[in-house]
Amino acid sequence: MSESYTFYAATLGCKINQYETQALREVWVARGFKELDSAAEADFVLVNSCAVTAKAVSDVRSTVRQLHRANEAAQIVVTGCAAQVMGDELKELPGVTRIVPQDAKTSLKTWPELKEGMAEPENAFPDFAVTNYNRARAVVKVQDGCSHRCTYCIVPLTRGRSRSRSVADIVTEARTLLESGFKELILSGVNLRQFGRDLDGTPDFWDLVDELERALGKKWGGKARFRISSLEPGQLGEKALEVLGRSTMVAPQLHISLQSGSDSVLKRMGRGHYKTAPLLDFLDKLHSVWPVYGLGADILMGFPGETEEEFHETMAYIKAMPLTYAHVFPYSIRPGTVAATMSGQLEKQVKKERAKAVRDLIAEKKQAFLQKLVDEKLPQHVVLQSAEEKKGVSQFYTECYFDTLPFGVGLRDICTGTATEFEKGGLRVVAGEK
């Protein structure tokens, strides 16, 4: 017998949260629930929360308040990372009727009959799967949690130790999504460096990419692509070059969890397992695999004790990197982490200024990269994210805008064209024939 609840889902934070919301959405719709486009008439509202920065937590609070104002009668259910570490505080927000910690998120599949304290076994990969996605590009979750405690990071407290999904399940889900019409799948995890350590045979992430290529490349190579969400510098060596060199499906773009360009800062961050110099060598060699590629990074500025010299080391390092974009954050204290009690906490204004200096440098690099794509007239293979706005994202992870589209091209399709100019942080592209 179907149930007639209506719901609205608000997802904050990372692609993993997006994936898990989609998994819940599919279960609820299969049970007869109806998803609404706004919270105004919903019986209950899901807030899938993030806690990675102080701003992320602030966004959770403001989102809950906005949703309650939109519908005071709705039951608001808060889950995710913020619910894991600050549930008592969030419980006091208006309209919140249930806090479901991150480690019990899968229990939401049986909403509203939830068992208090129901949590996933510590070593189990969370029981989520998707067959579709409500976006143009689909996420495939391959790993969860993190067993490496960086001194600034709250994620091990919110998502627990590293757990890997079986390679067979990943291949099956990827095949299902490709066959349902997706042309780009994002291989995503909390820490891809730790993928496979808990699986039989201990395959690493590059073994997974190789297996996906073997299973799917013959049919989908050149027709669809994988994008890798975020890698650590320590993963980038000869094996990575070999796997990327023979892949027909990985998009020519990488995103690196760099955090700092200063080895001494990295050591204080608890990231002394890699050095900055080898990464530059890898990126130089990568041009033999991908003559042109997009490159992003996560960069954290103003870490406790960061000196002027260390700041300038990071600036010089970023200048040397072939970055095309970056996510730059000023350090914010996360309760329960080692860095929260470190001496040498910097003034907010100093952190803000250093982050801005990095962002300005990245903006120059991005502009130069976009100009290169225009000057060299390189084909842009664009996954269409909005047919109405005629925009999408290229293989290099650049935003692209079309004036017109070939007849029959729609959402999720790959449309190929040539860049004519850059604007609005992206490229104006003239489409070729379908």
Side-chain angles (χ1 to χ4, degrees):
M1 180 178 177
S2 67
E3 301 173 70
S4 57
Y5 292 102
T6 57
F7 72 95
Y8 174 78
T11 306
L12 297 93
C14 66
K15 290 180 173 62
I16 298 296
N17 269 4
Q18 294 172 15
Y19 176 94
E20 291 169 349
T21 296
Q22 174 62 24
L24 289 170
R25 174 183 289 116
E26 291 188 22
V27 170
W28 288 338
V29 170
R31 289 177 55 198
F33 293 15
K34 181 180 180 182
E35 183 174 15
L36 303 181
D37 292 332
S38 77
E41 301 296 329
D43 295 322
F44 73 95
V45 175
L46 177 75
V47 178
N48 198 351
S49 67
C50 177
V52 71
T53 64
K55 183 181 183 304
V57 172
S58 176
D59 288 345
V60 175
R61 296 190 191 100
S62 61
T63 297
V64 169
R65 291 189 178 102
Q66 289 169 12
L67 292 168
H68 179 64
R69 286 196 295 270
N71 183 354
E72 294 186 1
Q75 300 182 61
I76 297 178
V77 182
V78 183
T79 189
C81 290
Q84 183 74 26
V85 293
M86 51 186 301
D88 289 343
E89 178 184 339
L90 296 177
K91 193 183 300 180
E92 301 304 316
L93 291 174
V96 174
T97 60
R98 177 88 66 158
I99 298 292
V100 180
Q102 181 69 47
D103 62 12
K105 186 183 282 184
T106 55
S107 70
L108 281 165
K109 294 192 292 185
T110 63
W111 173 267
E113 294 82 17
L114 303 186
K115 294 180 180 178
E116 293 294 338
M118 181 179 175
E120 289 275 348
E122 185 181 6
N123 295 325
F125 189 81
D127 185 19
F128 286 118
V130 303
T131 61
N132 206 331
Y133 216 69
N134 64 342
R135 296 175 179 237
R137 302 180 301 138
V139 173
V140 177
K141 179 182 171 184
V142 306
Q143 183 272 344
D144 200 348
C146 182
S147 300
H148 184 92
R149 288 184 176 261
C150 296
T151 59
Y152 59 86
C153 186
I154 200 170
V155 169
L157 302 178
T158 63
R159 283 193 171 268
R161 63 191 300 177
S162 176
R163 290 96 71 207
S164 306
R165 191 177 189 182
S166 77
V167 173
D169 284 352
I170 295 166
V171 171
T172 296
E173 185 167 277
R175 181 182 286 112
T176 296
L177 291 166
L178 290 169
E179 290 178 349
S180 68
F182 288 94
K183 301 300 192 300
E184 180 172 313
L185 308 184
I186 304 166
L187 304 179
S188 193
V190 174
N191 187 337
L192 294 179
R193 183 173 72 95
Q194 296 178 346
F195 173 83
R197 295 179 180 181
D198 52 335
L199 297 179
D200 290 342
T202 60
D204 66 13
F205 178 74
W206 300 115
D207 295 323
L208 169 63
V209 174
D210 250 355
E211 182 58 32
L212 286 165
E213 180 73 29
R214 280 192 291 271
L216 303 170
K218 184 175 181 181
K219 180 175 181 179
W220 297 102
K223 300 175 184 177
R225 65 195 182 210
F226 296 120
R227 192 176 298 281
I228 300 171
S229 63
S230 182
L231 297 169
E232 285 209 357
Q235 292 179 266
L236 300 173
E238 290 302 319
K239 186 172 184 178
L241 290 172
E242 292 170 6
V243 173
L244 294 174
R246 58 179 171 258
S247 174
T248 64
M249 295 196 69
V250 177
Q253 177 258 332
L254 295 178
H255 187 93
I256 301 171
S257 180
L258 175 65
Q259 308 309 338
S260 178
S262 166
D263 286 337
S264 53
V265 172
L266 287 172
K267 187 174 181 180
R268 292 200 302 279
M269 287 179 167
R271 298 179 70 82
H273 53 284
Y274 62 85
K275 302 292 184 184
T276 52
L279 176 59
L280 293 180
D281 181 56
F282 171 85
L283 294 174
D284 184 56
K285 292 178 180 177
L286 188 57
H287 284 293
S288 66
V289 174
W290 296 332
V292 178
Y293 60 86
L295 181 68
D298 294 322
I299 301 169
L300 185 62
M301 298 305 299
F303 189 74
E306 184 183 79
T307 64
E308 279 285 336
E309 181 181 357
E310 289 169 334
F311 164 59
H312 289 298
E313 284 177 359
T314 292
M315 289 290 287
Y317 189 79
I318 291 170
K319 285 180 182 177
M321 291 183 74
L323 288 166
T324 61
Y325 72 96
H327 301 150
V328 184
F329 307 92
Y331 167 75
S332 63
I333 291 175
R334 307 310 300 123
T337 62
V338 173
T341 58
M342 282 183 174
S343 60
Q345 300 286 337
L346 274 62
E347 295 290 331
K348 182 177 180 180
Q349 187 60 29
V350 173
K351 294 186 287 188
K352 186 176 178 181
E353 288 172 356
R354 290 183 180 179
K356 182 181 184 302
V358 174
R359 289 191 190 106
D360 290 346
L361 176 56
I362 297 297
E364 294 175 11
K365 286 179 163 288
K366 180 176 181 178
Q367 182 170 319
F369 180 68
L370 295 177
Q371 187 64 60
K372 172 186 174 73
L373 297 180
V374 171
D375 292 344
E376 297 187 5
K377 295 181 168 50
L378 295 172
Q380 303 297 306
H381 305 298
V382 182
V383 170
L384 203 61
Q385 294 176 291
S386 171
E388 183 179 348
E389 298 179 40
K390 304 182 185 68
K391 70 177 184 180
V393 63
S394 79
Q395 71 270 39
F396 305 119
Y397 201 57
T398 56
E399 286 193 350
C400 295
Y401 309 90
F402 297 91
D403 289 324
T404 59
L405 294 169
F407 179 77
V409 171
L411 187 70
R412 301 177 181 171
D413 286 339
I414 292 180
C415 184
T416 298
T418 304
T420 57
E421 60 181 323
F422 64 85
E423 59 175 51
K424 297 188 291 186
L427 295 170
R428 177 62 56 181
V429 177
V430 175
E433 295 299 320
K434 185 180 178 184

